[in-house]
Amino acid sequence: MAQEPATRKLKIIAGADSFGCTLKDNLVSQLRDLSIEVEDLGTNKYYSVGEEIGRRVSQASANPDPSVETRGLVACGTGVGVGIFANKFPGVYAATCVTPEEAHNARSINNCNVLAVSGMLTEPDAAKKILQNFLDTPFKSPCPAFGSNPWPAEIETFLENSVSEMSGIGKSEEKVDVPCDLCSLLKNRKEGDFTPVDIMPGASMKIIRENPTSALVRFKAGAMEPAHHHTFGHDLVVTKGSKRVWNLTKGTKYDLVAGDYLFTPAGDVHRVKYFEDTEFFIKWDGHWDIFLDEDLAAAHAAAEKDAN
């Protein structure tokens, strides 16, 4: 993988849990002082932060913008947990760095595109140096791991080939049929088990557990969920159909099909359009509730405007 052009704009997506948020805020200020574009996702559970930023960086890696390079910045108490969950996504190379030299090595050797830092172990001044090395170090450049000397030709060739080889790890051409509780539940569902959702035309729901609430949900093709929010965050997996989710709080949108997963943080205002008859499993972090932020007519108008 060749080094990115020097003119390519850098964008950083940042987030943290409650143990890393203060350090993350300091580093976000540093990035903005450097006139680097930052999308700050705020504070959430460490695994939710790692998941969201890992998924976003993975999407950017799979569909690269020729003018923008997207990287991630995650922080938790140790810097380890957020890195673990960011690394669950293809094309993501998250590294937990507690010294500037580690950040230098991670960029040079591993083409690290998500920096994970420790809010409990790393002082702000040290973290700023770590971040600066993460920003400034190109892939395959001389680094402390090799005495800051240029790489020999055979090692540079190894590094050049490593990114594509690493991205293939874990992929298999063989399909393995693994029993799944959710799949079994969906297979045995019956039409009469679903109750219409009065405030959402075209929607029906089967509650599986009351608190924290989990449910199977169906929407008819063409249906809309007007902009709304919940007291608790929720995870969902699409099992059939296709939908578009606009997270209005974060200014992002996601096109989801069968097999896709999405976490929406507590309080985030979001709108949804269904392109086909769609089913999904959803789990809230607490008892299900809903607060509408627009009416159905406004939702349809906004979706039509976005389509144009």
Side-chain angles (χ1 to χ4, degrees), residues 200 219 223-228 243 270-274 280 299:
M200 296 282 180
F219 272 87
M224 290 283 307
E225 293 183 51
H228 63 281
K243 59 192 281 189
H270 52 291
R271 176 192 302 125
V272 187
K273 178 176 177 63
Y274 294 87
F280 54 92

Side-chain angles (χ1 to χ4, degrees), residues 3-71:
Q3 294 183 21
E4 303 294 349
T7 56
R8 197 176 186 206
K9 181 181 175 183
L10 186 61
K11 175 181 177 180
I12 303 291
I13 304 175
D17 73 356
S18 57
F19 293 99
C21 59
T22 299
L23 185 62
K24 182 268 297 178
D25 290 344
N26 288 337
L27 297 180
V28 166
S29 296
Q30 178 183 351
L31 291 166
R32 288 176 173 154
D33 287 343
L34 294 170
S35 299
I36 293 174
E37 181 184 356
V38 183
E39 183 177 351
D40 188 354
L41 303 186
T43 305
N44 206 333
K45 295 169 290 191
Y46 75 88
Y47 46 87
S48 298
V49 169
E51 179 273 328
E52 176 68 8
I53 293 179
R55 184 174 56 79
R56 297 275 296 278
V57 172
S58 177
Q59 289 175 341
S61 175
N63 302 285
D65 184 327
S67 63
V68 179
E69 178 190 2
T70 300
R71 298 187 201 171

Side-chain angles (χ1 to χ4, degrees), residues 46-304:
Y46 75 88
Y47 46 87
S48 298
V49 169
E51 179 273 328
E52 176 68 8
I53 293 179
R55 184 174 56 79
R56 297 275 296 278
V57 172
S58 177
Q59 289 175 341
S61 175
N63 302 285
D65 184 327
S67 63
V68 179
E69 178 190 2
T70 300
R71 298 187 201 171
L73 170 64
V74 290
C76 65
T78 63
V80 175
V82 281
I84 288 173
F85 285 91
N87 273 328
K88 287 183 174 290
F89 294 85
V92 174
Y93 307 107
T96 302
C97 300
V98 296
T99 68
E101 291 76 17
E102 288 181 343
H104 198 151
N105 292 337
R107 281 289 302 152
S108 173
I109 300 170
N110 310 114
N111 200 29
C112 167
N113 54 9
V114 175
L115 174 64
V117 292
S118 167
M120 296 173 64
L121 303 176
T122 305
E123 295 296 327
D125 287 345
K128 288 180 179 180
K129 294 176 182 177
I130 292 169
L131 177 59
Q132 199 64 54
N133 276 0
F134 174 70
L135 298 173
D136 293 344
T137 305
F139 179 46
K140 301 185 300 180
S141 64
C143 69
F146 196 66
S148 297
N149 297 312
W151 294 109
E154 63 273 18
I155 294 182
E156 184 157 347
T157 299
F158 164 76
L159 294 174
E160 184 73 31
N161 295 331
S162 65
V163 174
S164 60
E165 292 176 357
M166 287 189 296
S167 66
I169 292 174
K171 293 182 179 179
S172 173
E173 296 181 359
E174 297 182 7
K175 298 184 76 173
V176 180
D177 188 13
V178 179
C180 165
D181 291 341
L182 175 58
C183 298
S184 300
L185 181 64
L186 291 167
K187 185 176 180 180
N188 295 325
R189 67 196 184 281
K190 299 177 181 178
E191 189 67 39
D193 294 338
F194 287 77
T195 302
V197 181
D198 293 337
I199 62 172
M200 296 282 180
S204 58
M205 177 187 294
K206 172 181 170 59
I207 299 292
I208 298 170
R209 183 176 60 190
E210 287 291 341
N211 192 17
T213 306
S214 58
L216 300 175
V217 182
R218 289 175 170 172
F219 272 87
K220 296 291 187 182
M224 290 283 307
E225 293 183 51
H228 63 281
H229 64 279
H230 306 281
T231 300
F232 297 97
H234 59 74
D235 306 84
L236 67 82
V237 178
V238 179
T239 57
K240 173 186 173 183
S242 60
K243 59 192 281 189
R244 174 172 293 169
V245 180
W246 290 267
N247 187 314
L248 305 179
T249 299
K250 294 188 169 59
T252 55
K253 65 181 177 182
Y254 312 100
D255 288 325
L256 306 179
V257 297
D260 283 343
Y261 164 86
L262 180 65
F263 172 75
T264 301
D268 276 17
V269 177
H270 52 291
R271 176 192 302 125
V272 187
K273 178 176 177 63
Y274 294 87
F275 300 109
E276 307 171 71
D277 288 353
T278 300
E279 297 182 1
F280 54 92
F281 172 81
I282 187 167
K283 178 181 72 67
W284 282 269
D285 293 333
H287 193 274
W288 175 77
D289 60 12
I290 186 169
F291 303 94
L292 294 179
D293 296 287
E294 68 179 0
D295 60 26
L296 191 58
H300 279 290
E304 184 175 351

